[in-house]
Amino acid sequence: MSRIPHDALQAFRAIARHRSFTRAGAELGISASALSQSLRQLEEALGVPLLTRTTRQVAPTEAGEALLARLSPALDEIAEALEETRQSRGQPVGQLRITLPHTAAQLLFYPALADFAVRHPKLRLELDVNNGLVDIVAQRFDAGVRFGEALQPGMQALPVSQPLRFVVAASPDYLRRRGAPEQPQDLAEHDCLGYRFGGGGQYRWQFAAAGQPLQLAVDGPLIANDNMALLHAALGGTGLAYLAEPLIAPWIAEGRLAVVLDNHMPPAEALYLYYPHRPRQTAKLRALIDFLRERAGLPQA
């Protein structure tokens, strides 16, 4: 059998994962026609078709699925080994892909992006801001950030923030018109600004009743998948919003928002950075962990 180049194997994996020559080419930085030629040469060398192509779809054949299952872990190991060798010479380099919810992006990452870029100029940070539950292994992220109850099972995890509280808040104008709820159950009589996940489900507001967790479905004039929309609606007097306290602290201090149900809120919880188990962390991931924990005033792990 003729020698099969590493690039051809990477090309096959990208095409099979994206099920598209165009999207695979965008990931690898090469043209779709070059990818097609590389795949054709790989199939000729192996003597078996790896992909089924139609005008609408590209999908792995049975042989292609079997090869992909064995090939992907090996390619990942090779990439990590090469990257660690490069990074042993100095600063971390390469791309670092992170998926995280809006709250984590707004509180942890957006204020820190410029400082992180200055500290690690050879790293390219890619953020997927997504409140849905993401399989970081299947979607090839280096790590994810979530609150503890939403961590993907089987992952290593480290806190990268101090514990954060969520609060229910509304404008003084809304509270003058509608009154303030005294118990979580009173929310049934109020306009509540809801959050909808990418998968279609609506977030249930979390409370603590007699030390036990309580979840409530809420209803109101607005549902959004962006907490900044909820914040601005609350500032305008549209209704009650359930948001991270640090996110709305400036408007609370200015008197433009007031907190209600404060004695019924659940305990504060930290954000965690989580990632697949590995014998050792990559240098680029270690750099991000150290940076976030330093900003949060946490000891280095």
Side-chain angles (χ1 to χ4, degrees), residues 108 147 158-164 269-272 292-293 296 298:
L108 298 186
F147 287 101
L158 284 169
V160 289
S161 79
Q162 297 290 343
L164 303 173
E269 186 173 7
L271 284 160
Y272 288 79
L292 292 176
R293 287 178 64 88
L298 297 170

Side-chain angles (χ1 to χ4, degrees), residues 96 98 109 116 273 284-292:
L96 182 60
I98 307 295
F109 280 76
F116 187 77
L273 188 137
K284 61 184 181 180
L285 185 57
R286 180 75 260 169
L288 179 64
I289 291 171
D290 289 346
F291 178 81
L292 292 176

Side-chain angles (χ1 to χ4, degrees), residues 72-84:
S72 286
L75 288 177
D76 288 340
E77 287 289 330
I78 291 170
E80 286 186 11
L82 293 174
E83 184 176 298
E84 288 179 7

Side-chain angles (χ1 to χ4, degrees), residues 4 34 48 60 144 154 158 203 216:
I4 296 174
V48 57
L158 284 169
Y203 179 72
L216 289 180

Side-chain angles (χ1 to χ4, degrees), residues 181 252 259 276:
I252 294 172
V259 172

Side-chain angles (χ1 to χ4, degrees), residues 11-73:
F12 162 65
R13 181 171 70 163
I15 298 165
R17 185 172 66 250
H18 289 289
R19 302 199 172 213
S20 163
F21 283 85
T22 301
R23 290 194 294 271
E27 177 189 322
L28 298 176
I30 57 179
S31 68
S33 60
L35 275 181
S36 181
Q37 181 179 353
S38 178
L39 181 69
R40 187 165 50 250
Q41 292 170 347
L42 177 60
E43 289 178 324
E44 289 174 357
L46 294 174
V48 57
L50 299 175
L51 294 175
T52 299
R53 307 165 184 80
T54 69
T55 56
R56 294 185 176 184
Q57 187 178 26
V58 177
T61 63
E62 184 177 353
E65 289 280 12
L67 176 61
L68 189 64
R70 296 286 300 276
L71 186 65
S72 286

Side-chain angles (χ1 to χ4, degrees), residues 132-207:
L133 298 179
V134 177
D135 185 333
I136 63 172
V137 176
Q139 298 193 33
R140 297 181 54 74
F141 287 99
D142 293 285
V145 179
R146 291 291 184 270
F147 287 101
E149 82 279 1
L151 291 179
Q152 188 175 338
M155 294 282 151
Q156 292 180 280
L158 284 169
V160 289
S161 79
Q162 297 290 343
L164 303 173
R165 292 182 74 242
F166 277 75
V167 296
V168 178
S171 71
D173 176 63
Y174 175 88
L175 296 175
R176 278 192 297 269
R177 287 186 287 113
R178 302 293 300 274
E182 297 181 0
Q183 302 289 332
Q185 291 78 4
D186 295 342
L187 295 173
E189 305 300 322
H190 280 269
D191 292 333
C192 298
L193 309 174
Y195 185 92
R196 188 170 312 276
F197 294 110
Q202 188 172 338
Y203 179 72
R204 290 174 175 264
W205 289 12
Q206 312 292 311
F207 298 97

